[in-house]
C-alpha cells in the first residue's frame, strides 16, 4: 500500500517531468527587440532591418540566392528545417524577399521550424522577433538628438556598473 508521503513524492516527480518536457520543447529566443533603421533616403527594405539588428549585435545572418534567410547565427536551413518569416503591421506592403520594403511599426517574426513530409510544422526550435520602431534618413538621424541621448544613457549605465560593490 502506497503511503501519502510516497504518493506526494511520485506526484511531485511527475509534475517535474512534465515541466521539464514542456521547457525542452519551448523555442529558444535568439532576438527580441526594436530597431531604428537609418538609410540614405529614409526608405527601408527587410535587409536594412536585418542589417540594423546585426549592427546592434542582435544576430548574424546570410541570405539565400532567392532573397530569403539562409541562416541566422549559423543555424542554416536544411531539408526539413527552415527559417520561416511572417510580417505584421506592414500595411499593404507585400514581402517576398529581403529586397522588399518595410514600414515603421512592422513586426517581423522569424521561426526556425521542423516540417514533416507533408510540409506541416512539427516543432519551432528558435525564434526572433523584430519591431521596426523608426525609419530615418541619414540626414534626419544626424539632426536627431537620439544618438546623444543613447550615448548619455550608455555612460550612465557604465557608471552604475563600475560603482557596484
Amino acid at each position: 500500500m502506497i503511503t501519502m508521503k510516497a504518493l506526494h513524492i511520485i506526484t511531485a516527480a511527475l509534475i517535474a517531468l512534465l515541466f521539464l518536457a514542456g521547457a525542452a520543447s519551448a523555442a529558444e529566443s535568439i532576438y527580441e527587440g526594436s530597431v531604428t533603421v537609418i538609410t540614405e533616403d529614409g526608405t527601408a527594405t527587410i535587409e536594412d532591418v536585418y542589417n540594423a539588428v546585426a549592427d546592434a549585435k542582435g544576430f548574424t545572418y546570410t541570405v539565400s540566392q532567392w532573397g530569403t534567410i539562409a541562416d541566422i547565427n549559423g543555424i542554416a536551413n536544411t531539408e526539413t528545417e527552415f527559417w520561416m518569416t511572417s510580417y505584421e503591421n506592414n500595411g499593404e506592403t507585400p514581402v517576398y524577399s529581403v529586397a522588399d520594403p518595410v514600414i515603421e511599426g512592422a513586426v517581423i517574426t522569424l521561426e526556425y521550424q521542423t516540417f514533416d513530409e507533408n510540409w506541416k510544422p512539427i516543432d519551432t526550435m528558435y525564434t526572433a522577433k523584430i519591431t521596426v520602431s523608426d525609419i530615418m534618413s541619414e540626414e534626419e538621424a544626424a539632426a536627431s538628438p537620439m544618438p546623444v541621448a543613447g550615448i548619455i544613457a550608455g555612460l550612465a549605465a557604465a557608471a552604475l556598473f563600475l560603482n557596484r560593490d
Side-chain angles (χ1 to χ4, degrees):
M1 184 164 160
I2 299 178
T3 66
M4 281 304 262
K5 187 172 186 174
L7 189 57
H8 284 279
I9 292 171
I10 292 170
T11 303
L14 288 173
I15 291 171
L17 286 173
L18 288 172
F19 177 73
L20 289 174
S25 65
E28 178 184 336
S29 177
I30 290 177
Y31 177 84
E32 185 164 347
S34 298
V35 294
T36 295
V37 182
I38 300 170
T39 62
E40 187 175 314
D41 63 359
T43 62
T45 64
I46 299 299
E47 189 161 20
D48 292 326
V49 173
Y50 295 156
N51 288 340
V53 173
D55 290 346
K57 307 289 188 242
F59 59 72
T60 60
Y61 75 98
T62 58
V63 176
S64 73
Q65 63 188 10
W66 302 281
T68 59
I69 293 293
D71 79 87
I72 293 178
N73 287 350
I75 304 164
N77 293 336
T78 68
E79 289 184 22
T80 60
E81 299 171 347
F82 299 94
W83 282 105
M84 302 300 292
T85 309
S86 61
Y87 304 90
E88 300 171 36
N89 308 324
N90 205 33
E92 298 298 317
T93 308
V95 178
Y96 301 104
S97 78
V98 295
D100 289 325
V102 66
I103 62 174
E104 288 179 0
V107 178
I108 304 166
T109 303
L110 303 159
E111 295 182 335
Y112 190 72
Q113 296 177 324
T114 303
F115 292 85
D116 67 13
E117 62 277 353
N118 296 318
W119 296 101
K120 292 184 180 174
I122 298 172
D123 189 23
T124 299
M125 299 176 342
Y126 303 99
T127 63
K129 187 172 184 178
I130 308 160
T131 302
V132 181
S133 63
D134 200 2
I135 299 172
M136 304 172 83
S137 69
E138 291 174 350
E139 185 177 313
E140 291 171 321
S144 172
M146 190 175 61
V148 174
I151 292 170
I152 292 169
L155 290 173
L160 288 172
F161 180 77
L162 293 174
N163 288 331
R164 292 185 335 174
D165 288 341

